[in-house]
Amino acid sequence: LISPAFPNDPCNRPIRTRMTAIMSPASYKSVVQPSLKAVVSIYTSKKVKTQEGGHFSFGPFQFDIPKNDTPMRQQALGSGVIVRKDGLVITNNHVISMADEIKVVLVDGRSFDAKVIVRDPDCDLAALRFVKTDKNASLFEGGFPTLKIGRGDALEVGDVVLAIGNNLGLQGTVTQGIISAVGRVLPQKKSVVSKITVPLIQTSASINPGSSGGALVSMSGELVGINTAILTPSRGNVGLAFAVPSNYITPVLSAVDNKKKDVVRPFLGCTLKKVSYPGKGILVHSVLKGGPAEKGGIKAEDVIIELQDTNITDSDRFLMMVALQNINSEILIKVKRGDDIIRCTVKVGVWEKGTEQFIVVSDDRNPLSGSTIAQMNPTINSKLNIDQDKTGVVIIQVAANSIAAGLFRGGDQIIMIDKKKVTTLKDVTSRLDKAVSSKTRTIVTIRVARGDAVIEFRLSVGGGPRSRL
């Protein structure tokens, strides 16, 4: 019953309304207590160069600093999650990538040396295994507590999750938050996050240094993500935390089972785009010639609406679902082609990561200064939503406020310089270096393909500041 603010006003009458309470659980202990047992603290160390000695002068003062021959070790910390009873731990690759000694500590006090079994830098994941010796063999009896692996693609914005890890060195720290976004792709920066090639889960659960590699746990007590990074103006958490979806653990475990050091990831051979509102599904932008998708009957401009009888709403969740598929297995993909619904059986292929060749242009006399330029291959093309079978040279990104900014964009394919075709990075450097180093001003033409358009820039270089004509 809601009473009016002015009860004596005859126009006001009490209003009866029904209000639905949103109840939060009084305690999360039924989820936290079993999950805590499977989350471990990871302590790493590596040898670092010792201080070099030498003779130094400061004004009239002369002094010698002796060489320090004492071995020094740099230490770091992180977290991990036990996913198998034999002591197999999943963590972030960046937690252990530089370490030559790794120690893992459970919340019950047991500690073990560990060794790296598999690395997957593209997903920032790694698998460790406890080292068993005659002295600690009894600690392996009965196995280890594990956390069941759930599905990150099943999360929805607003779902409650818990982050568990070695937060700032405080073992077993548990924080609570919600899912803020699923399929977050972050801007390219010089950070751990920018090196990850898969869409991430964003959460408001607080994580800090030491939390990396820890568990993101759903209210059903399943591992749905591996906490990996934060975005912050300082070193502290401001509610922008990110986790690698648990789906990408599956290829890591497959590599462990097959005794491979490198992860083999499922591959369909097509690039994807959003469907214009109010359409549903995801648009196939291009199909790699001879790839699994083409062989299965999928064509460019098809709209994928189902994978294995599950409705598809966005490309990020679709990629997470693909990560769960076995190599060489056959999957059913339903597409809409015009007014027809077509069922395509696709045999899952293997993602073969190409060797990426690129250059960063930093000479301010060069009109491309501030741009990163790469040799095109399926890996690069898929990131930029370019047909996977295209070849040539493409601009990956352009730094803000650089010489190239305002002219060129990430995704621009350089097709000609001074009316000569460009096919390699060497073509770019050789044709621009001579003009840039000239003592007299020279007009250089650079032609790029931007989407369906072709744009030609006429630029003045050499002998003075660059200007656009």
Side-chain angles (χ1 to χ4, degrees):
L1 184 64
I2 301 178
S3 298
F6 304 98
N8 296 326
D9 189 334
C11 294
N12 286 322
R13 297 286 187 273
I15 302 171
R16 292 187 178 275
T17 184
R18 179 174 295 175
M19 302 180 69
T20 303
I22 301 176
M23 301 297 293
S24 296
S27 173
Y28 295 113
K29 66 181 181 181
S30 61
V31 175
V32 171
Q33 290 180 355
S35 301
L36 265 177
K37 298 176 182 179
V39 179
V40 300
S41 296
I42 297 176
Y43 300 91
T44 66
S45 65
K46 66 175 182 178
K47 291 182 180 179
V48 295
K49 291 183 178 179
T50 57
Q51 179 180 305
E52 296 291 337
H55 182 78
F56 297 87
S57 61
F58 184 74
F61 303 101
Q62 305 288 322
F63 54 94
D64 294 307
I65 296 180
K67 183 178 180 180
N68 183 2
D69 293 323
T70 305
M72 297 179 65
R73 301 195 68 84
Q74 188 176 69
Q75 297 181 328
L77 54 84
S79 306
V81 186
I82 306 175
V83 295
R84 288 186 175 173
K85 287 185 175 296
D86 63 353
L88 186 74
V89 174
I90 297 295
T91 185
N92 285 143
N93 181 64
H94 77 260
V95 169
I96 50 81
S97 60
M98 303 298 291
D100 50 36
E101 289 185 3
I102 303 171
K103 185 177 181 180
V104 178
V105 181
L106 282 70
V107 292
D108 61 14
R110 287 181 290 177
S111 65
F112 302 90
D113 290 332
K115 61 180 179 179
V116 180
I117 304 299
V118 172
R119 299 179 191 267
D120 186 1
D122 290 335
C123 295
D124 194 25
L125 293 177
L128 314 178
R129 178 163 280 149
F130 298 158
V131 176
K132 189 175 183 179
T133 65
D134 292 339
K135 291 183 178 180
N136 67 13
S138 61
L139 300 178
F140 283 75
E141 294 177 1
F144 298 93
T146 62
L147 200 48
K148 181 181 178 181
I149 300 175
R151 294 184 56 166
D153 63 291
L155 294 171
E156 298 288 348
V157 174
D159 285 350
V160 175
V161 287
L162 304 175
I164 307 176
N166 191 16
N167 205 325
L168 292 173
L170 301 174
Q171 185 175 23
T173 295
V174 182
T175 59
Q176 176 263 340
I178 64 169
I179 296 298
S180 305
V182 177
R184 184 70 79 192
V185 177
L186 300 178
Q188 293 291 314
K189 295 182 178 179
K190 292 182 179 179
S191 66
V192 170
V193 178
S194 68
K195 299 173 185 176
I196 303 175
T197 61
V198 297
L200 302 174
I201 297 166
Q202 182 182 336
T203 176
S204 63
S206 178
I207 68 173
N208 287 285
S211 301
S212 290
L216 190 69
V217 182
S218 68
M219 287 299 94
S220 60
E222 294 182 330
L223 177 66
V224 293
I226 298 295
N227 301 322
T228 189
I230 59 175
L231 280 184
T232 175
S234 60
R235 284 183 60 84
N237 184 283
V238 292
L240 297 173
F242 302 90
V244 178
S246 56
N247 301 53
Y248 295 100
I249 297 175
T250 298
V252 175
L253 296 180
S254 296
V256 172
D257 293 337
N258 293 319
K259 297 182 179 179
K260 304 288 186 181
K261 290 185 177 181
D262 298 319
V263 173
V264 176
R265 293 165 62 185
F267 176 63
L268 297 184
C270 58
T271 59
L272 309 169
K273 294 178 67 175
K274 290 183 178 180
V275 174
S276 300
Y277 179 85
K280 296 182 179 180
I282 50 175
L283 179 69
V284 178
H285 177 255
S286 68
V287 178
L288 180 65
K289 187 176 181 180
E294 186 190 57
K295 290 179 179 179
I298 295 176
K299 298 181 178 180
E301 303 302 320
D302 283 351
V303 176
I304 298 175
I305 54 177
E306 285 187 11
L307 170 61
Q308 299 289 69
D309 297 321
T310 300
N311 290 335
I312 299 300
T313 57
D314 62 77
S315 59
D316 295 321
R317 293 178 193 272
F318 177 75
L319 293 175
M320 292 182 202
M321 294 170 66
V322 170
L324 297 173
Q325 310 306 316
N326 294 320
I327 304 297
N328 295 324
S329 66
E330 292 188 343
I331 58 175
L332 178 63
I333 298 178
K334 190 179 291 185
V335 303
K336 186 176 181 181
R337 185 178 299 160
D339 296 327
D340 299 326
I341 303 298
I342 299 172
R343 296 163 65 90
C344 301
T345 301
V346 178
K347 186 177 181 180
V348 179
V350 176
W351 174 263
E352 295 181 359
K353 183 178 179 181
T355 302
E356 297 183 4
Q357 303 176 40
F358 64 92
I359 57 174
V360 179
V361 184
S362 57
D363 186 345
D364 284 345
R365 298 174 300 170
N366 192 315
L368 291 170
S369 179
S371 62
T372 302
I373 308 172
Q375 194 73 45
M376 297 171 72
N377 62 32
T379 304
I380 294 290
N381 296 3
S382 64
K383 293 178 182 178
L384 298 173
N385 261 338
I386 298 174
D387 293 352
Q388 293 199 10
D389 53 357
K390 273 193 173 183
T391 59
V393 174
V394 65
I395 298 175
I396 298 178
Q397 61 183 0
V398 178
N401 302 317
S402 65
I403 298 295
L407 297 176
F408 303 99
R409 303 177 186 174
D412 284 354
Q413 183 183 354
I414 302 174
I415 53 178
M416 296 187 79
I417 296 179
D418 282 343
K419 299 182 180 181
K420 294 180 180 178
K421 189 176 180 180
V422 171
T423 58
T424 67
L425 293 174
K426 186 176 180 180
D427 292 340
V428 176
T429 56
S430 63
R431 289 171 193 168
L432 284 178
D433 284 353
K434 184 176 181 181
V436 166
S437 59
S438 174
K439 294 182 179 180
T440 58
R441 298 182 69 176
T442 306
I443 301 299
V444 172
T445 60
I446 301 177
R447 185 177 297 179
V448 302
R450 182 178 295 168
D452 296 328
V454 175
I455 305 170
E456 184 172 281
F457 298 97
R458 298 182 68 245
L459 304 168
S460 175
V461 300
R466 185 272 295 167
S467 63
R468 181 178 178 180
L469 301 182

